[in-house]
């Protein structure tokens, strides 16, 4: 992988040769691991030009708007696969055959329940707590229940932890919602598919068990697929960093949930709906576009822009198609928020500010409109993102731990005081 070299010439020092590593596809990387010997570090706040690891899980071509999971385009997975198959692919590297799929689905089904005592954790939260605050707490609390499988150096423990997390996230997410509603929590059912089960636990009650709409279940499963993984984004990098210290998988996923919550990241789906409500009407779009362009205004067009995609996010394209399908099949005509979102996209994408900066709709721009049509409240949108992304997080965690790794410990450019002595309190001015 390293037959090319970069040469770094530092004034007053001998040139330094740095290997250039080449991947299967995508940009080459300059291996700077040897740079420390020169007494220099690289400086790259926000990791704008830094690869943190080698991975085989997901590839993004930001210029072409390509997203591959283990080589399969997201469009094909959304169209021809389902979420649990995508989970198997991300975790194991290959799509399952019929027997492997049946076995995986059955294993996941048999781990969907959570320990009965976990319910007590909810009572410490106010009913109006933000669902992501509760998710951070209860997912981290899972560490307290699985002492039989917290040895991260044991491949079997890593395997069972991955299955437990994929299986239990829908149950926990639905419990978070039911707690916020003051309704009884619903147990998972083994006769339902993964997405049907989630919608059952979300919207059914002990008093009435309604059949789950196949349209909504398919849309939910599609949304899970579109959010499953996205290489080294902020929350996945957080999970890898937490995992590099040897923290248990449940604590690492809780850290990922916390990082995802931010409106610049997974919190954007909730922020898009809030923004659309704030804009209210097509006549206000120009005002908000101006705010988004105003450097003195912190307002950004939520659901637009991406660190990697400098073309349309392929997930946004599939999300928009799903949005049209769901609204049509639900008989929702002229959904005002969808109309507003489409008009906003149209206007933004003709504006030089957005074109020059390659700011296109990302995965979060249309997802909220579908989630709302399914009946999920805005405050639960990022919980859905966390539910779906758990398989990506845990796949990266597994990949990192399956080969030699080092604890993540970045360095810094220090611009604070040099060493100085403390002055006695009575002598300070
Ligand atoms: C996700 O990393 C991932 O893969 C994330 C994700 C995943 O699946 O894990 O894809 C999920 O987090 C999608 C992104 C959701 N976030 C939002 O929709 C929030 C709005 N977007 C922005 O906050 C922003 O675009 C980011 C955070 C997504 C990307 O930020 P970058 O890469 O640091 O880019 P930047 O802030 O340096 O922006 C470059 C320029 C700046 O203007 P100039 O200084 O060059 O004049 O574009 C401007 C920014 O001000 N800009 C925007 C904008 N996004 C960037 N201006 C207005 N509205 C926006 N949305």
């Amino acid at each position: 992988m390293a037959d090319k070299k970069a040469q770094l010439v530092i004034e007053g020092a001998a040139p330094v040769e740095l290997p250039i590593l080449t991947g299967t596809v995508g940009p080459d990387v300059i291996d700077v691991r040897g740079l420390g010997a020169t007494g220099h570090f690289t400086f790259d706040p926000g990791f704008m030009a830094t690869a943190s690891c080698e991975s085989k899980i997901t590839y993004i071509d930001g210029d072409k708007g390509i997203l591959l999971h283990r080589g399969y385009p997201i469009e094909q997975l959304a169209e021809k696969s389902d979420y649990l198959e995508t989970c198997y692919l991300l975790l194991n590297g290959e799509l399952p055959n019929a027997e492997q799929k049946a076995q995986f689905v059955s294993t996941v089904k048999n781990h969907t329940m959570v320990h009965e005592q976990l319910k007590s954790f909810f009572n410490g939260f106010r009913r109006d707590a933000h669902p992501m605050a509760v998710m951070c707490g209860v997912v981290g609390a899972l560490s307290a229940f699985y002492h039989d499988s917290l040895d991260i150096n044991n491949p079997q423990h890593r395997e069972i932890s991955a299955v437990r997390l994929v299986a239990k996230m829908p149950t926990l997410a639905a419990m978070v919602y039911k707690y916020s509603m003051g309704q009884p929590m619903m147990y998972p059912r083994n006769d339902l598919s993964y997405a049907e089960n989630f919608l059952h636990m979300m919207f059914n009650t002990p008093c009435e068990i309604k059949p789950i709409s196949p349209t909504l279940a398919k849309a939910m499963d599609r949304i899970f697929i579109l959010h499953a993984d996205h290489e080294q984004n902020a929350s996945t990098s957080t999970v890898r960093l937490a995992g590099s210290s040897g923290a248990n998988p449940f604590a690492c996923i809780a850290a990922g949930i916390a990082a995802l919550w931010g409106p610049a990241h997974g919190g954007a789906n909730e922020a898009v709906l809030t923004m659309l409500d704030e804009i209210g009407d097509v006549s206000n779009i120009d005002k908000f576009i101006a705010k988004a362009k105003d450097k003195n205004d912190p307002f950004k067009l939520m659901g637009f822009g991406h660190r990697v995609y400098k073309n349309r996010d392929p997930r946004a394209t599939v999300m928009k198609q799903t949005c049209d399908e769901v609204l049509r099949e639900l008989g929702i005509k002229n959904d005002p928020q969808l109309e507003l979102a489409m008009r906003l996209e149209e206007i933004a994408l003709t504006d030089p500010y957005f074109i020059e900066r390659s700011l296109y709709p990302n995965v979060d721009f249309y997802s909220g409109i579908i989630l709302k049509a399914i009946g999920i409240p805005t405050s639960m949108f990022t919980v859905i993102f966390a539910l779906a992304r758990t398989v990506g997080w845990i796949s990266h965690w597994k990949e990192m731990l399956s080969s030699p790794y080092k604890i993540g410990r970045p360095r810094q450019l220090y611009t604070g005081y040099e060493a100085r002595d403390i002055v006695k309190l009575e002598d300070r001015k």
Side-chain angles (χ1 to χ4, degrees):
M1 279 207 294
D3 51 8
K4 290 185 274 183
K5 295 242 183 281
Q7 196 170 67
L8 183 66
V9 178
I10 300 173
E11 220 173 292
V16 181
E17 278 215 336
L18 298 168
I20 292 180
L21 308 180
T22 302
T24 323
V25 283
D28 287 352
V29 295
I30 298 174
D31 183 346
V32 294
R33 282 175 289 186
L35 198 58
T38 69
H40 292 76
F41 297 123
T42 58
F43 181 65
D44 186 17
F47 309 120
M48 303 291 284
T50 293
S52 63
C53 63
E54 176 184 339
S55 179
K56 303 178 186 321
I57 297 173
T58 289
Y59 173 68
I60 300 170
D61 182 326
D63 295 329
K64 296 189 187 121
I66 289 172
L67 169 57
L68 307 177
H69 290 321
R70 302 287 189 179
Y72 295 103
I74 189 65
E75 296 86 349
Q76 291 189 30
L77 289 168
E79 185 61 37
K80 301 175 181 161
S81 187
D82 62 36
Y83 180 68
L84 281 186
E85 257 196 17
T86 303
C87 288
Y88 185 97
L89 173 67
L90 289 167
L91 287 165
N92 302 298
E94 297 295 342
L95 283 168
N97 61 30
E99 187 191 337
Q100 290 164 332
K101 179 170 182 178
Q103 178 55 47
F104 184 69
V105 170
S106 158
T107 305
V108 168
K109 275 186 195 287
N110 288 301
H111 286 282
T112 49
M113 283 211 295
V114 294
H115 195 293
E116 273 300 289
Q117 272 181 253
L118 202 74
K119 284 184 178 174
S120 332
F121 281 83
F122 287 81
N123 298 328
F125 291 99
R126 289 169 39 142
R127 292 276 179 176
D128 63 353
H130 192 289
M132 282 296 277
V134 186
M135 276 305 270
C136 286
V138 294
V139 172
L142 286 175
S143 317
F145 290 86
Y146 296 109
H147 299 292
D148 66 330
S149 60
L150 293 182
D151 174 4
I152 59 149
N153 299 308
N154 179 331
Q156 281 71 38
H157 286 196
R158 293 202 294 266
E159 199 55 42
I160 185 60
S161 297
V163 167
R164 277 174 169 152
L165 278 157
V166 169
K168 295 178 194 311
M169 284 300 276
T171 310
L172 289 171
M175 289 168 80
V176 165
Y177 172 64
K178 287 297 198 187
Y179 184 73
S180 74
M181 299 292 284
Q183 285 186 0
M185 297 168 177
M186 296 298 286
Y187 288 107
R189 274 176 42 182
N190 290 354
D191 60 327
L192 298 176
S193 74
Y194 192 87
E196 284 171 339
N197 203 9
F198 174 62
L199 295 176
H200 156 69
M201 293 186 284
M202 282 285 289
F203 299 121
N204 275 333
T205 68
C207 320
E208 190 176 11
I209 305 290
K210 291 184 195 141
I212 303 303
S213 145
T215 302
L216 297 188
K218 180 165 168 277
M220 195 74 257
D221 193 83
R222 174 86 54 85
I223 287 178
F224 289 157
I225 293 175
L226 294 173
H227 286 87
D229 188 53
H230 214 236
E231 56 131 286
Q232 308 311 324
N233 57 81
S235 51
T236 301
S237 300
T238 301
V239 171
R240 279 180 173 260
L241 196 55
S244 73
S245 75
N248 75 70
F250 306 103
C252 294
I253 298 303
I257 292 171
L260 185 76
W261 194 358
H265 189 13
N269 54 14
E270 177 179 355
V272 167
L273 266 287
T274 308
M275 175 185 74
L276 291 174
D277 284 344
E278 253 185 285
I279 295 174
D281 181 81
V282 175
S283 61
N284 296 326
I285 287 182
D286 289 342
K287 186 176 83 178
F288 280 83
I289 294 255
K291 276 172 64 71
K293 292 157 62 174
D294 178 356
K295 288 302 163 211
N296 300 316
D297 188 329
F299 174 79
K300 289 202 188 296
L301 220 48
M302 301 318 279
F304 268 79
H306 199 277
R307 171 61 60 76
V308 181
Y309 288 122
K310 301 308 167 193
N311 196 325
R312 277 186 75 85
D313 181 335
R315 300 168 298 175
T317 306
V318 180
M319 200 71 83
K320 174 67 174 57
Q321 289 158 0
T322 308
C323 196
D324 294 340
E325 280 165 33
V326 170
L327 296 181
R328 186 171 50 249
E329 291 186 23
L330 290 177
I332 300 173
K333 291 195 175 32
N334 315 322
D335 178 280
Q337 283 186 317
L338 176 61
E339 300 293 311
L340 191 56
M342 287 165 62
R343 196 74 189 94
L344 180 59
E345 177 186 356
E346 220 174 278
I347 294 172
L349 296 188
T350 56
D351 186 301
Y353 173 92
F354 289 86
I355 295 169
E356 284 154 20
R357 291 167 179 79
S358 307
L359 301 176
Y360 292 91
N362 57 48
V363 67
D364 293 308
F365 189 60
Y366 285 108
S367 58
I369 295 166
I370 310 175
L371 292 171
K372 190 165 161 254
I374 292 174
I376 292 170
T378 308
S379 62
M380 282 289 292
F381 285 6
T382 311
V383 170
I384 304 288
F385 196 147
L387 184 171
R389 183 55 58 86
T390 293
V391 67
W393 289 332
I394 208 69
S395 297
H396 283 274
W397 174 80
K398 266 184 72 183
E399 179 179 67
M400 179 180 72
L401 295 178
S402 311
S403 45
Y405 65 95
K406 297 190 77 62
I407 187 168
R409 204 280 184 217
R411 304 304 298 268
Q412 62 173 11
L413 172 67
Y414 177 69
T415 54
Y417 285 105
E418 292 186 75
R420 54 180 175 159
D421 297 322
I422 285 185
V423 174
K424 276 192 284 178
L425 184 58
E426 58 271 23
D427 297 337
R428 289 175 212 161
K429 293 178 185 56

